[in-house]
Amino acid sequence: MASFNRLFTFFSLVIFRPACYNSRNSSGLSTLFLVCSEKFSSALFVENSVKYRTLSYSDIQLSEVGFGVWTVSTSWWGITDETLGIDLLRRAFDLGITFFDTADTYGNGQGETILAKALGDKRRDLVIATKLGYDFYTHKDADRRGQRELPQNFSPEFITFACEESLKRLGTDYIDLYQLHNPRLPAIQKDDIFETLERLQKSGKIRSYGVALGPAIAERQIAEGEMAIRDRKVATVQIIYNLLEQMLGEGLFEVGRTCGAGFLVRVPHSSGLLEGKYSEQTTFTENDHRYHRVSDDERKKEWLINGLKKVEQLRFLIEGTGRTLAQMALKFILAEPSVTSVLPNIYSIEQLEEFAKAPECRDFTDEELERVADLYSHNFYLETTPAMP
């Protein structure tokens, strides 16, 4: 019976789902199959709770909840077992998540090879985004801890080379979304970069292109994102945005709505604060990406304590709503119509299944959104706990 159920799940996800592809914000299907045969005489109910949105300037459908492959390919979130990473990727697909965002530099290529190992046989049912720009080919042994960056190369020759290498590692002949990885404004101003991306698109090697801004959140990214949207007509801008860090959304969402560009949102749980797992005693080791979020121990404590106080002010968004804290954080982001997909950090099966159910949770009301806006504009009515001098 298990194999029979998987067969019908396949039909519901792959064959019947395209019927909902004309909508900007399409619901996953709940399909009732009546099975009548000598062997089976029962009703089989297969439900896919994930919803889908359309990538700008295309007919490509992205699951509202995507999978950021960096958590299973860099070890910065505690996953060092490739088998666990593959299991997470496959389980995500079984839950209806079809959008996977990776980068060539994750694990020096592992972020692409692990996706091919896990889901290579499902390629036509996936939407794959990857990124280019960091020259890890020349600088393989560089110190990659925290937010330290490798030298970048956005020359036409390197872009073409990097694309071919990514195609090989992914085991595919096309990339759905190709993103410049943390470009600064001078790169976005260079015509030859986008001429090269246009050539790759015309050749069929990439279907669309965008920019992923970072690595850490910074005010300069508003100007970078605006130029990418207005002047370069990118399909997507990837940003950090969440209930506790709204600066980039405030600066860019209106531009995206006006120009028809979409956004991919990463760090939706503010590095875990909005997952409900932290306490004032939580600590991170040096090989954990979150350890490097702020510069010293006192400021780390300040970030944690003040963040937890803000989270407490948001409890009204889960009480009596049926949403968990983590699901609520995702629903807040998906309330923005210019967001195409949200990319939570995924590092356990339990967490993955919780996140995948977020789209079916109750939508935010106007009153809830207004109250969040008021809290954010007033620093959640809290006095910060200052760091020690």
Side-chain angles (χ1 to χ4, degrees):
M1 187 58 148
S3 62
F4 186 76
N5 287 352
R6 289 181 64 84
L7 175 64
F8 275 94
T9 299
F10 172 83
F11 283 136
S12 69
L13 294 178
V14 176
I15 296 175
F16 293 102
R17 194 177 60 213
C20 69
Y21 272 14
N22 292 328
S23 144
R24 163 86 179 139
N25 183 0
S26 303
S27 297
L29 300 179
S30 295
T31 307
L32 181 65
F33 296 101
L34 296 178
V35 183
C36 298
S37 71
E38 292 182 2
K39 189 171 183 180
F40 300 107
S41 180
S42 62
L44 178 63
F45 187 74
V46 181
E47 184 175 1
N48 168 25
S49 62
V50 176
K51 300 179 182 180
Y52 303 85
R53 298 187 182 190
T54 306
L55 184 68
S56 296
Y57 310 124
S58 78
D59 60 356
I60 302 171
Q61 298 291 303
L62 276 60
S63 51
E64 284 188 343
V65 176
F67 194 120
V69 181
W70 84 303
T71 58
V72 298
S73 58
T74 63
S75 79
W76 290 337
W77 287 82
I79 295 179
T80 57
D81 180 2
E82 184 181 70
T83 301
L84 174 57
I86 289 173
D87 288 346
L88 286 167
L89 291 166
R90 289 175 175 167
R91 179 60 181 149
F93 179 78
D94 288 343
L95 291 168
I97 293 174
T98 56
F99 176 51
F100 296 85
D101 177 69
T102 190
D104 58 4
T105 190
Y106 295 166
N108 288 352
Q110 186 180 355
E112 295 173 330
T113 57
I114 193 174
L115 189 54
K117 287 179 183 178
L119 295 169
D121 60 335
K122 306 291 194 301
R123 176 63 185 101
R124 79 177 192 86
D125 306 313
L126 308 180
V127 176
I128 295 176
T130 192
K131 311 179 192 74
L132 80 312
Y134 288 113
D135 186 3
F136 68 94
Y137 302 94
T138 306
H139 306 276
K140 286 185 178 180
D141 299 323
D143 187 351
R144 305 288 296 277
R145 287 176 296 174
Q147 301 282 3
R148 296 178 187 177
E149 295 182 82
L150 294 177
Q152 290 180 313
N153 188 343
F154 291 112
S155 68
E157 296 78 14
F158 187 79
I159 293 172
T160 303
F161 165 77
C163 182
E164 292 294 342
E165 293 301 303
S166 285
L167 289 169
K168 292 175 188 175
R169 286 189 293 267
L170 289 165
T172 185
D173 57 0
Y174 68 96
I175 295 166
D176 296 291
L177 174 63
Y178 204 35
Q179 302 162 96
L180 302 182
H181 202 171
N182 300 337
R184 300 332 194 249
L185 199 59
I188 298 171
Q189 292 170 335
K190 289 185 177 180
D191 292 340
D192 60 355
I193 291 176
F194 292 90
E195 290 167 358
T196 304
L197 293 173
E198 285 287 338
R199 283 198 297 273
L200 289 171
Q201 187 175 33
K202 287 177 182 177
S203 72
K205 293 184 184 293
I206 67 174
R207 298 179 68 191
S208 59
Y209 57 82
V211 297
L213 304 179
I217 191 170
E219 190 173 0
R220 63 171 167 78
Q221 292 159 16
I222 296 175
E224 293 163 0
E226 183 167 1
M227 183 173 190
I229 292 169
R230 292 190 186 279
D231 297 349
R232 300 305 182 183
K233 310 301 181 187
V234 296
T236 60
V237 175
Q238 186 176 144
I239 60 172
I240 293 172
Y241 178 75
N242 55 67
L243 278 157
L244 307 183
E245 299 168 295
Q246 299 183 33
M247 175 179 66
L248 297 184
E250 290 180 337
L252 288 172
F253 284 156
E254 183 59 35
V255 179
R257 291 186 216 115
T258 300
C259 298
F263 294 90
L264 306 178
V265 172
R266 68 181 187 275
V267 199
H269 295 109
S270 192
S271 297
L273 280 168
L274 290 162
E275 292 178 21
K277 308 294 186 183
Y278 293 175
S279 71
E280 291 186 10
Q281 286 70 48
T282 298
T283 58
F284 307 108
T285 59
E286 286 192 41
N287 64 345
D288 189 304
H289 186 269
R290 291 161 289 190
Y291 178 89
H292 303 277
R293 186 179 172 104
V294 284
S295 57
D296 57 57
D297 289 342
E298 289 299 330
R299 286 180 172 80
K300 286 180 177 64
K301 197 68 174 177
E302 177 187 356
W303 170 78
L304 178 62
I305 292 174
N306 288 329
L308 290 172
K309 289 179 179 177
K310 292 175 182 179
V311 171
E312 283 302 310
Q313 295 296 311
L314 296 169
R315 292 285 173 184
F316 74 96
L317 293 170
I318 61 176
E319 293 171 354
T321 67
R323 315 172 186 126
T324 66
L325 180 65
Q327 290 168 339
M328 174 272 291
L330 299 177
K331 286 296 287 188
F332 169 74
I333 293 166
L334 292 170
E336 168 54 47
S338 63
V339 169
T340 312
S341 185
V342 59
L343 299 161
N345 293 316
I346 295 167
Y347 41 94
S348 76
I349 293 289
E350 177 185 20
Q351 179 195 49
L352 167 61
E353 293 178 348
E354 179 185 9
F355 296 167
K357 293 177 183 176
E360 68 183 2
C361 293
R362 199 191 79 184
D363 290 339
F364 271 55
T365 64
D366 290 341
E367 291 75 17
E368 287 173 331
L369 290 171
E370 289 169 4
R371 188 169 170 186
V372 168
D374 179 70
L375 284 169
Y376 186 80
S377 67
H378 292 91
N379 193 36
F380 294 81
Y381 294 96
L382 299 177
E383 291 185 10
T384 58
T385 300
M388 297 295 290

